[in-house]
Amino acid sequence: MTGPGGLPLFFLDVDGPLIPFGPRAGGHPVFPGAPGPPEAGANPLLDRIDPALGPRLAALRCELVWATTWEDEANTVVAPRLGLPELRVVSWPAPSDEDERGTAGLHWKTRTLVRWAAGRAFVWVDDEITERDRRWVAAHHGGPALLHRVDPGLGLTAADLRLLGVWLRTVRGRTL
């Protein structure tokens, strides 16, 4: 159920968890001058990525995977700001009629991530996860899974990372 080295997957979204957005009293903290390609400077929201998150994510005992509409661009624009290596990327299929008819209320990423995990233990961090997604994953995924919703106004916090770290240690103990 776990991946290389017995590690669970960690599906990571960018907008919301890493780039906080929406109203926030006092505004969002910014971290200008982070490494990345020159064209990345055209997106001022990238300065909201806290580079301190990179080492904290890298320290988690899991396999980090981009699960974002940024797709491969997450490796060229976001990863350098976090000091992360190139990560595997979930490629999203084109929407189908089945998606339109059969998933009312289910996040459009949910079924793809469960297929991608193929029974492996996983964490999914996103700002759009709902209780319906959690129920669907529990009914259709053969391994442990934690769907963790991040407040998009705050982004991924130290408290989130502590909770995720505890879950990853617990699930590794059960699956190894």
Side-chain angles (χ1 to χ4, degrees):
M1 278 199 242
T2 54
L7 300 177
L9 295 167
F10 189 114
F11 294 122
L12 183 59
D13 185 31
V14 171
D15 295 311
L18 298 179
I19 301 176
F21 62 86
R24 181 174 177 170
H28 294 279
V30 293
F31 307 89
E39 65 272 12
N43 183 342
L45 295 182
L46 289 170
D47 285 346
R48 294 181 182 180
I49 296 175
D50 181 354
L53 288 173
R56 296 198 66 190
L57 288 165
L60 295 171
R61 300 267 305 155
C62 60
E63 179 186 349
L64 295 170
V65 178
W66 294 119
T68 174
T69 57
W70 286 70
E71 293 187 323
D72 292 320
E73 197 175 10
N75 278 320
T76 59
V77 176
V78 179
R81 290 175 169 270
L82 294 167
L84 293 175
E86 187 170 308
L87 306 176
R88 293 200 298 160
V89 177
V90 175
S91 294
W92 308 109
S96 68
D97 289 341
E98 180 185 351
D99 293 331
E100 300 300 321
R101 287 191 316 269
T103 59
L106 191 64
H107 193 285
W108 61 269
K109 293 180 183 178
T110 306
R111 293 189 310 158
T112 299
L113 294 178
V114 168
R115 279 192 301 270
W116 214 89
R120 286 176 63 180
F122 74 86
V123 168
W124 173 23
V125 173
D126 204 300
D127 60 301
E128 297 179 339
I129 294 169
T130 67
E131 204 49 48
R132 179 168 170 104
D133 299 303
R134 289 184 182 97
R135 287 191 307 270
W136 195 92
V137 169
H140 294 88
H141 179 62
L146 173 64
L147 280 63
H148 183 73
R149 184 188 178 281
V150 171
D151 180 336
L154 299 176
L156 198 54
T157 66
D160 293 318
L161 289 165
R162 278 191 300 276
L163 180 142
L164 296 166
V166 167
W167 188 87
L168 288 164
R169 285 190 298 277
T170 302
V171 77
R172 276 195 331 272
R174 287 193 316 227
T175 60
L176 296 179

